[in-house]
Each structure stands twice: as structure tokens, then as C-alpha cells.
């Protein structure tokens, strides 16, 4: 079984100009109307269990209600349309399954055949990155899962956690919940310089509504940017950030002439081609650390920026940890525990160990015994695998946390295929039959040394290390004060 954090890795993550089978409300709908719609949907579907898929009926008392509801709708609803019934029925099933799961698991949802197909068979056709937005298709809209560093979306004011409900382009507005994948793709297509306006619900997490919910519009323009998992700056002549404006915005030239380097870790991901890893966060991180060693000769200090990093693959976080942790009590240890996953009833599922320990190749071990050589910057969107990595560094005593409290996600999700149930969708003119699947929370992770689970709590910097994470002058000043 493959475990992964947040709604990442093998889950259906759509990036801007491709979309698939679900959507968001009408242009003229006001905030209370949108909220009412969402709450009505959530309340209505939460009582259903998926009991009928493609004409197959599970005949139990608990699940027959879904068949009756659908039949009642078909018999007398003014919204029934014989031509679109099969498509609508499939969406009803996904909504019902998602509502059921989110009664207790806000990260859970039922995946339709097209969603699950793209998990098992990702392709360049299904993911693009020109807007710099990773969307997750939910029953209430397109959830903004992450924003690529330096992209048009990154500088637009769009925020992770926003729920896109409408898309406006060239005077035309579509409600994505009532639009086809082709219509949404057309709205999001276009060359660099193309502009769209999203109407978003802010303060909603899938089916969870917060008290500060608001509806607003955000305009995003496609612009070229470097879509790196890792960005680094070890002085003006040793950086992979080519955008001078971004370097200026982050105030990174303040590090010139010091032994302090900067790494922005944007996500924990792997890219596969023909079932082989061709790029990964850990691979890019290893390359960055090689430059780090060349520049600082094994005596460098590091600012590790995890702001906005919602997590990803646990294995990637584990591989990166091998460069950043050290057992000062057992310096000959060549493998160190990073995290433990525990499942239902607290039973242990797996221990994650580093394959090696590289810390002493990049940092001065003797100096690190008394002065921690790493500062980790976090904000409220540093979550899941980011917190796993942070907790590991804090446990082994190699890092200091600054910034703001992290998100507080100490759980992991997985996808379970439902082999009994299948459905069809059309891709490139071909009808494809594939399975439904369940994405749900299956484990908690605990830190290596203190055996801590931070779900719902997060990691909080000490009072003197709380810093406004939008003020990079303050961040770099605080980090330098700690490291130099």
C-alpha cells in the first residue's frame, strides 16, 4: 500500500489548463446563496452510502435509500433530462460517497473513474503548469491545493485553500460545477499573457466551512516561471533562481558574503515516465546541497523555507531528511528513524528510515552540537510532509523553527480501488471504462524521537522566533541573528 500525505502524489491533481469532471455556482449568486448551496449539498449527501453504480444494486437496508432517492428524482424532478441522466447519476454517486466520507474524514472523497484513471495513468495531457495552480476537483468546486513558486497565481493574491466556483474570461463566465471538462479546459487555455478571473470561496476546506467565509474575485495572468521543486540561493553567483524580481522580493542578496544559504522547498514530489522516476524533490535537493557544499566547504548554515509547502510523498521527505539530521549520541549511525506511521487502533504500519546520513558532509558536526546550523521557516500552509520533516529536525536538534505556526496535519491518506464498481468516460474520442476509488485517511504519523503527533496542533515557534512570513526582511534578519 502506498501512503502519501495531504491530497498529493497519486491523487488527481489538476494544474490550470486541464480539468475534469466536477465544478462551482452562478455569477450572480451572493455569498449566502453559495454557502446555503454548499451546506445543503453536504447535509443531503452525507446520509448516503454508495449502493448503486452503473445499475448494480447493493440490496441492504442502509444503501437502498440511495436507489430510492435517485428513482424519485428521475420520476418527477424538473431537472431530470434523459439525455444527460447517466452523467448526472455518476456525479450523484461521487457526491454521495464524498458526503459519507466527509462526515468524519474531511480529506476523504469518492473518486470517479476518470479521477482514478489519472491517478494510475498520469500523463502530460492531464497536468500542465502555466497558471501555476494545482487544483483538486471536489464536489463543491476546484480546491486550490498549491501555488507554484513565482507563477502568475503565486503573485495574484490567490491563496491555498481557496475554492474556485466560477471562471470568467473575455466577458464569458462559467459555473464549473455545471460545465463539461472541455468547456473548463477551453476557459483555462491560452498562451502566456492570457488572463482569467476566478470567483472563489475563501475560508472553506472541501466540505468544512469556517466562520470567516467570504466570496471574492481574483484575476490571474499566465506568466513564465521556473516550476522547480527546489529553489536555492547561495550567493549571487550560485543560485538557480533566474528571476531577479523574485530575488529582490525575497531580499536574498542580504545573504551575500555570509556562510548562510537559502533553500525554498516547494513540494515533496516525484515525476515518472514509463514507471521510472525522472525527477524528484529529493533529487533536486541533493543537487542543491552539492552546490551548498561547494560554496561553503562543509561549514555552511542553512535557511530552509517551507512556507506554503502543503506536503507530499513521505518517501521524498525521508530522503531529504538524510541531509539534515544527525544523531549526536550515536554518531556512527548510518540510518536514522524519520517517522512512524500508525493505523487503526494505534497499530504500527511502518517505520521510515533514511537510507544514509549525510549531515557531516555538509555541516560542521562539532559546532552543531551547541549551535544549530539550520533555521526552518514555516507558515500556516506548511503542512503534512513539511511538518513531518520539521518535526524530525527538531527531534534530532539540528534546526530552529521561525515564522508562524504550521498547519497541523499529522495524518496520511491513501487510495483504495473499488474493483466491483466501474464507470465510463471519454478521453480523446475514446470511451474508457475504469474503476471507482476511495481516497481516505488511513494513518497518523509520529515524530522519530519524542513520538509526537501534531495533528490539529501544528508546530509553533518560540515567542521570540515568531515572524511575519510576508516580511522577508524580517525573516532573513531573524535567521541571520540565529545562525551567525
Amino acid at each position: 500500500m502506498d501512503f502519501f500525505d495531504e491530497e498529493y502524489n497519486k491523487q488527481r491533481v489538476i494544474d490550470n489548463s486541464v480539468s475534469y469532471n466536477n465544478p462551482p455556482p452562478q455569477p450572480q449568486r451572493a455569498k449566502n446563496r453559495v454557502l446555503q448551496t454548499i451546506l445543503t449539498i453536504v447535509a443531503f449527501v452525507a446520509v448516503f452510502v454508495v449502493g448503486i453504480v452503473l445499475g448494480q444494486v447493493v440490496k441492504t437496508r442502509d444503501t437502498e435509500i440511495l436507489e430510492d432517492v435517485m428513482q424519485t428524482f428521475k420520476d418527477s424532478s424538473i431537472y431530470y433530462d434523459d439525455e444527460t441522466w447517466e452523467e448526472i447519476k455518476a456525479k450523484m454517486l461521487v457526491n454521495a460517497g464524498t458526503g459519507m466520507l466527509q462526515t468524519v474524514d474531511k480529506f476523504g472523497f469518492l473518486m470517479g473513474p476518470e479521477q482514478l484513471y489519472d491517478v494510475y495513468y498520469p500523463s502530460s495531457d492531464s497536468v500542465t503548469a502555466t497558471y501555476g495552480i494545482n487544483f483538486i476537483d471536489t464536489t463543491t468546486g476546484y480546491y486550490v491545493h498549491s501555488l507554484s513558486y513565482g507563477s502568475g497565481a503565486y503573485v495574484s493574491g490567490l491563496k491555498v485553500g481557496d475554492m474556485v466556483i466560477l471562471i470568467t474570461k473575455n466577458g464569458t463566465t462559467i459555473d464549473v460545477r455545471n460545465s463539461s471538462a472541455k468547456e473548463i479546459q477551453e476557459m483555462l487555455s491560452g498562451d502566456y499573457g492570457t488572463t482569467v478571473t476566478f470567483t472563489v470561496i475563501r475560508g472553506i476546506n472541501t466540505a468544512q466551512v469556517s466562520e470567516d467565509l467570504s466570496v471574492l474575485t481574483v484575476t490571474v495572468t499566465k506568466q513564465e516561471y521556473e516550476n522547480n521543486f527546489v529553489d536555492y540561493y547561495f550567493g549571487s553567483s550560485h543560485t538557480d533562481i533566474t528571476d531577479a524580481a523574485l530575488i529582490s522580493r525575497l531580499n536574498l542578496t542580504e545573504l551575500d558574503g555570509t556562510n548562510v544559504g537559502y533553500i525554498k522547498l516547494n513540494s515533496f514530489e516525484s515525476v515518472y515516465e514509463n514507471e521510472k522516476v525522472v525527477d524528484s524533490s529529493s533529487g533536486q535537493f541533493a543537487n542543491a546541497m552539492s552546490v551548498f557544499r561547494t560554496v561553503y566547504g562543509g561549514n555552511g548554515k542553512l535557511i530552509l523555507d517551507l512556507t506554503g509547502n502543503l506536503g507530499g510523498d513521505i518517501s521524498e521527505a525521508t530522503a531529504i531528511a538524510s541531509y539534515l539530521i544527525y544523531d549526536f549520541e550515536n554518531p556512527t549511525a548510518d540510518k536514522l528513524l524519520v517517522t512512524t506511521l500508525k493505523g487503526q487502533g494505534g497499530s504500527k504500519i511502518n517505520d521510515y528510515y533514511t537510507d544514509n546520513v549525510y549531515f557531516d558532509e555538509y555541516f560542521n558536526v562539532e559546532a552543531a552540537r551547541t549551535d544549530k546550523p539550520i533555521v526552518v521557516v514555516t507558515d500556516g500552509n506548511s503542512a503534512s510532509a513539511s511538518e513531518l520533516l520539521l518535526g524530525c529536525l527538531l527531534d534530532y536538534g539540528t534546526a530552529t523553527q521561525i515564522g508562524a505556526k504550521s498547519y497541523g496535519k499529522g495524518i496520511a491518506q491513501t487510495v483504495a480501488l473499488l474493483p466491483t464498481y466501474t464507470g465510463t468516460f471519454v478521453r480523446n474520442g475514446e470511451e474508457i471504462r475504469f474503476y471507482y476509488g476511495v481516497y481516505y485517511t488511513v494513518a497518523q504519523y509520529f515524530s522519530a524521537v519524542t513520538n509526537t503527533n501534531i495533528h490539529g496542533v501544528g508546530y509553533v515557534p518560540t515567542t521570540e522566533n515568531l515572524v511575519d512570513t510576508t516580511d522577508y526582511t524580517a525573516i532573513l534578519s531573524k535567521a541571520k541573528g540565529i545562525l551567525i
Side-chain angles (χ1 to χ4, degrees):
M1 183 175 291
D2 181 22
F3 293 98
F4 49 99
D5 292 298
E6 199 33 57
E7 306 82 17
Y8 225 88
N9 244 6
K10 291 188 175 179
Q11 182 184 332
R12 171 62 163 142
V13 177
I14 319 173
D15 197 357
N16 66 53
S17 59
V18 172
S19 130
Y20 55 90
N21 46 304
N22 261 333
Q26 225 59 38
Q28 55 271 55
R29 288 185 179 172
K31 167 184 171 181
N32 59 351
R33 178 67 180 128
V34 174
L35 178 57
Q36 180 184 28
T37 300
I38 293 171
L39 294 177
T40 301
I41 291 171
V42 172
F44 184 68
V45 302
V47 299
F48 296 139
V49 177
V50 178
I52 177 172
V53 180
L54 300 171
Q56 300 180 42
V57 180
V58 180
K59 293 190 175 180
T60 69
R61 279 183 174 275
D62 291 337
T63 57
E64 284 178 349
I65 186 174
L66 180 57
E67 179 187 7
D68 291 343
V69 168
M70 295 174 73
Q71 189 62 48
T72 299
F73 176 91
K74 183 177 181 181
D75 289 343
S76 56
S77 173
I78 62 171
Y79 297 109
Y80 173 76
D81 181 348
D82 188 61
E83 291 185 4
T84 61
W85 173 238
E86 291 302 317
E87 180 184 354
I88 295 300
K89 184 170 66 173
K91 289 184 178 181
M92 285 181 169
L93 293 171
V94 171
N95 289 349
T98 298
M100 177 190 72
L101 290 165
Q102 292 191 356
T103 302
V104 294
D105 183 355
K106 72 176 182 178
F107 295 102
F109 58 90
L110 180 66
M111 304 179 75
E114 187 172 8
Q115 292 171 299
L116 191 62
Y117 182 88
D118 286 324
V119 167
Y120 280 84
Y121 304 106
S123 70
S124 58
D125 291 335
S126 63
V127 179
T128 57
T130 49
Y131 275 113
I133 309 167
N134 283 331
F135 285 122
I136 296 171
D137 183 11
T138 76
T139 58
T140 53
Y142 277 7
Y143 178 80
V144 178
H145 172 267
S146 64
L147 302 173
S148 295
Y149 193 56
S151 67
Y154 182 81
V155 300
S156 70
L158 196 67
K159 292 186 177 182
V160 170
D162 284 347
M163 187 73 73
V164 175
I165 56 175
L166 305 172
I167 304 173
T168 301
K169 179 182 177 183
N170 297 330
T172 300
T173 298
I174 65 169
D175 172 347
V176 299
R177 285 186 304 187
N178 300 324
S179 303
S180 67
K182 183 179 180 180
E183 289 172 325
I184 297 169
Q185 181 175 348
E186 288 176 352
M187 290 292 285
L188 293 173
S189 64
D191 296 329
Y192 290 111
T194 301
T195 295
V196 297
T197 297
F198 297 119
T199 299
V200 304
I201 304 173
R202 183 162 292 172
I204 183 171
N205 186 341
T206 59
Q208 306 292 318
V209 181
S210 69
E211 294 180 356
D212 58 349
L213 180 138
S214 60
V215 177
L216 64 155
T217 59
V218 180
T219 298
V220 182
T221 301
K222 290 185 181 181
Q223 65 182 40
E224 295 189 54
Y225 66 97
E226 299 172 19
N227 188 21
N228 295 335
F229 302 142
V230 174
D231 289 298
Y232 65 83
Y233 185 94
F234 306 137
S236 57
S237 59
H238 296 91
T239 178
D240 70 341
I241 305 174
T242 59
D243 186 344
L246 187 58
I247 291 175
S248 176
R249 176 186 174 192
L250 299 177
N251 205 32
L252 294 177
T253 54
E254 287 295 310
L255 300 178
D256 291 354
T258 73
N259 68 335
V260 178
Y262 170 88
I263 290 180
K264 178 75 168 69
L265 183 54
N266 300 308
S267 62
F268 299 88
E269 296 184 63
S270 299
V271 177
Y272 289 82
E273 286 184 9
N274 300 321
E275 299 183 359
K276 292 183 179 180
V277 176
V278 295
D279 198 6
S280 66
S281 298
S282 60
Q284 291 188 15
F285 191 86
N287 291 338
M289 290 303 290
S290 178
V291 179
F292 179 86
R293 180 170 55 190
T294 299
V295 173
Y296 303 117
N299 288 292
K301 307 291 181 70
L302 178 64
I303 301 171
L304 179 63
D305 190 347
L306 295 179
T307 57
N309 186 334
L310 283 170
D313 191 333
I314 294 177
S315 297
E316 288 296 301
T318 300
I320 289 170
S322 64
Y323 294 87
L324 305 174
I325 60 175
Y326 190 81
D327 189 343
F328 295 102
E329 300 300 319
N330 184 18
T332 61
D334 59 355
K335 293 185 179 182
L336 295 178
L337 179 64
V338 173
T339 191
T340 297
L341 279 182
K342 296 181 182 180
Q344 195 174 79
S347 60
K348 184 166 76 172
I349 295 175
N350 195 23
D351 286 327
Y352 283 81
Y353 286 88
T354 62
D355 289 334
N356 214 319
V357 178
Y358 304 111
F359 182 89
D360 57 352
E361 299 178 25
Y362 301 91
F363 301 97
N364 185 319
V365 171
E366 290 308 309
R369 290 180 184 276
T370 54
D371 297 312
K372 298 172 184 177
I374 302 169
V375 164
V376 181
V377 187
T378 61
D379 65 6
N381 288 318
S382 305
S384 201
S386 287
E387 294 173 296
L388 183 156
L389 180 62
L390 169 63
C392 182
L393 271 60
L394 295 177
D395 266 14
Y396 283 101
T398 58
T400 302
Q401 180 190 8
I402 70 171
K405 182 175 96 61
S406 65
Y407 180 85
K409 183 175 183 291
I411 54 179
Q413 285 72 41
T414 193
V415 173
L417 182 145
L418 301 177
T420 306
Y421 305 110
T422 62
T424 61
F425 62 94
V426 176
R427 176 69 57 83
N428 298 325
E430 178 186 0
E431 185 177 89
I432 299 174
R433 180 174 291 277
F434 205 66
Y435 303 100
Y436 284 76
V438 177
Y439 180 79
Y440 67 110
T441 301
V442 73
Q444 296 176 294
Y445 62 77
F446 292 79
S447 63
V449 179
T450 59
N451 195 39
T452 301
N453 177 266
I454 49 76
H455 190 66
V457 179
Y459 287 102
V460 185
T462 57
T463 302
E464 64 271 19
N465 289 330
L466 290 170
V467 184
D468 179 0
T469 54
T470 65
D471 184 351
Y472 267 81
T473 298
I475 288 174
L476 292 184
S477 176
K478 175 60 69 174
K480 287 169 63 179
I482 293 170
L483 296 172
I484 299 177

